[in-house]
Amino acid sequence: MPIDDNKEARHKARQQKVKDQVDERVAAAQEEKGLLLVITGNGKGKSTSGFGTVARAVGHGLNCSVAQFIKGTWDNGERNLLEKLGVEFQVMATGFTWETQDKQSDTDAAQLVWKECKRMLQDDSIDVVLLDELTYMVTYGYIDLDEVIEALTQRPKMQSVVITGRAAHRSLIELADTVSEVRNVKHAFESGVKALKGVDW
């Protein structure tokens, strides 16, 4: 089928305009600093995205650390892989709060992990820190929001932090450089499908 020269010319003109706009934005982005990324929302994939960022960073030779809240009582594929590559893990390891039903115990466990998080957030040898499911700890009052904000704002300039979890506090969203919201469209569990090892966990 012959190509319409006018159609091809219009396509090239549109693409050139897009390229010019992208080039202009790239040229304008001159500040270098570590990023604060918040991945929130009700959909599945927030922790997966956070761990993907850690895997990417490790692949580039960066030093990474992970703190896991809420989960941690079962086999973890990401930990199995990343610990072998030198990634530090600090895990609350109490499971879901609706299973423990013990606020003081959960608070104590969260505070132990948060103490390690504060150490990580002061260590300029750590390039990327993943605070997985931290949003719940703030919502439940296990960790003080102001403490979190202070630790994040006082961290080393080139250190990046990824925070995951539902219902991220507006103060975290305002502080973040990048915020992504994962929306639930459909989930296998709602249809009675059991969580699959290696895909769901």
Side-chain angles (χ1 to χ4, degrees), residues 62-74:
L62 301 183
N63 184 26
C64 302
S65 294
V66 173
Q68 278 193 291
F69 299 94
I70 299 290
K71 300 170 188 171
T73 57
W74 61 85

Side-chain angles (χ1 to χ4, degrees), residues 66-139:
V66 173
Q68 278 193 291
F69 299 94
I70 299 290
K71 300 170 188 171
T73 57
W74 61 85
D75 192 29
N76 180 296
E78 295 94 341
R79 185 177 182 183
N80 292 345
L81 173 68
L82 293 168
E83 273 192 330
K84 293 173 186 173
L85 299 173
V87 176
E88 173 191 5
F89 273 72
Q90 297 291 336
V91 182
M92 189 166 152
T94 55
F96 294 109
T97 53
W98 58 82
E99 291 176 341
T100 61
Q101 299 180 18
D102 186 335
K103 183 170 184 177
Q104 188 57 54
S105 174
D106 287 340
T107 301
D108 292 344
Q111 284 294 320
L112 283 174
V113 175
W114 177 238
K115 181 179 177 182
E116 297 301 326
C117 293
K118 288 189 287 186
R119 171 185 56 77
M120 294 173 186
L121 294 169
Q122 294 173 349
D123 187 344
D124 63 7
S125 74
I126 302 175
D127 301 298
V128 178
V129 177
L130 171 59
L131 304 176
D132 187 39
E133 314 277 20
L134 176 71
T135 62
Y136 298 98
M137 302 298 98
V138 172
T139 299

